[in-house]
Structures are given as C-alpha cells and as structure tokens.
Amino acid sequence: MSIASELRQRLTGAGVAAILCDPLAAYGQALLETNRRMNLTGAESAEELLPHLLDSLSIASYVRDSLVDVGSGGGLPAIPLAIATGVPVTMIESTAKKAAFLTEMLAALGLPGRVVAHRAETAGHDHELRGRFTTGTARAVSSAPAVVELLLPFLAPGGVAILQRGTVNDRERNALADAAPMLGGEVAQEIPLDGERRIILVRKLQATPDRFPRRIGVPEKRPLCL
C-alpha cells in the first residue's frame, strides 16, 4: 500500500471529510518522501504523521479570510489549513530548501498562497506583509510571548493569532498576558484540549509598535515579560 493510500485510509477512519482526504494524503506522502533527504518533520510514517495532520485540522474553525504561518517548516499546520479552509496562506520560512518544498506543494495542490523565504523578524517589518492578515499560526516550540511577538505584527486589528501549546505554566501564561498588550493585542481565550494540549487565542486590537518584532533571535532569547 502506498503512503498516500494508507494516509487516506487513516484520515477516513479518523472522521476527516472525504473531500479533504485525497489532498491531505497527497501532501502527506510528499512530506514523508521529502523528509528522507531533508528534515521537515519528526514523523517517519503515515501512522506517525496522522496526529500532526489532525492537530492542524483541529484549528480550522478559527481560520478566516487570510492566514500567515510563521516558521512553516514542512507546512504544518499551514498546508492542511489551506486545504481545509480554502483561504490564501502566506508561509514564512527562512530555510531555502524548505521554502522550495512549500512552494512546490502550493503548486501541486493548487492552493492559493505564497512562501516568503525570510526570518519572521525581518518579514514582520515588510510593509507588504505587516498588518495584512486576519489569522496567524506558528507551530513553534518557543515560549508563548516569543511566538506572539513574531505573529502579531503580521495581523490587522481584529485579527487573531492561534497558539497551539502543550503545557503552559503560570509564569508563561502571565508573561503572555503582559506581553500581548505591548504588541497591540490581548489574550482572548484559552481552550483546554486533551491532556496538557491547549489552544490560546490572542486578538489584535491595534497596530503593533514599530520596534516589534525585535532583531533576529532576540524574541526567542529574551521573551517579553518572561
């Protein structure tokens, strides 16, 4: 059985809408095959990739109008979200080989969008990108304050950053609540999922001050309020 066939079967079994299974399976096969020569995902099989696809789809209901994804890597969650919602997606990925893969995937799947091959700290100051999006995602391992510093500059007022997080302790939660207003936003909602997983929604209220995001590497090394 091909990777795509196995993924299609597993997605169907997980209750994913039939119309989404074929493009998701095609993307998954390309991701796993390319992953053999380029580090795109920790998953090495259809079985291991399935939870990542489902995790990406779990936030589709929060996506609207236009999507920016920071640190896109192999395209999770951006490409599954583009497949599921049909919204145009802009993926910010600084590694040239990964950016090329993402560009190929958009073309192969006929998805509206583009790839920006720059660091988020640089792209966030580009007037063509800054304040242009209604939804932002970042499947990052950085602290929550670092993630919102990279995401909120891309969002228009009224837009929402969707943070998919694991364990969040009180220190990080409080730092996020204090950092968001500095960036023109506010923590709108925290939604518990299974285990320690959760979704945190940060709403953009007003323009982010020009000094954010700070220079390359600083948001991660010195997170706001943490």
Side-chain angles (χ1 to χ4, degrees), residues 120-187:
E121 295 95 329
T122 301
H125 289 283
D126 185 334
H127 72 278
E128 293 186 1
L129 299 170
R130 190 177 179 90
R132 302 291 182 177
F133 301 91
T134 53
T135 312
T137 55
R139 206 166 186 252
V141 295
S142 300
S143 68
V147 173
V148 293
E149 181 174 348
L150 297 177
L151 270 180
L152 285 189
F154 291 104
L155 299 183
V160 175
I162 308 167
L163 279 61
Q164 294 175 275
R165 310 297 298 177
T167 302
V168 178
N169 60 34
D170 287 341
R171 181 168 176 261
E172 184 177 8
R173 184 177 287 108
N174 292 336
L176 176 61
D178 291 338
M182 296 173 62
L183 299 162
E186 68 173 2
V187 178

Side-chain angles (χ1 to χ4, degrees), residues 1 11 21 24-26 28 84 96 109-110 112 116 148:
M1 181 184 298
L11 288 162
C21 289
L24 286 169
L109 297 168
V116 176
V148 293

Side-chain angles (χ1 to χ4, degrees), residues 51-59 139 163-168 173 190-200:
H52 297 282
L53 296 174
L54 297 178
D55 188 52
S56 298
L57 294 174
S58 71
I59 60 173
R139 206 166 186 252
L163 279 61
Q164 294 175 275
R165 310 297 298 177
T167 302
V168 178
R173 184 177 287 108
E190 182 171 334
I191 305 158
L193 303 174
D194 56 290
E196 297 294 331
R197 293 171 59 249
R198 64 200 60 245
I199 296 168
I200 301 176

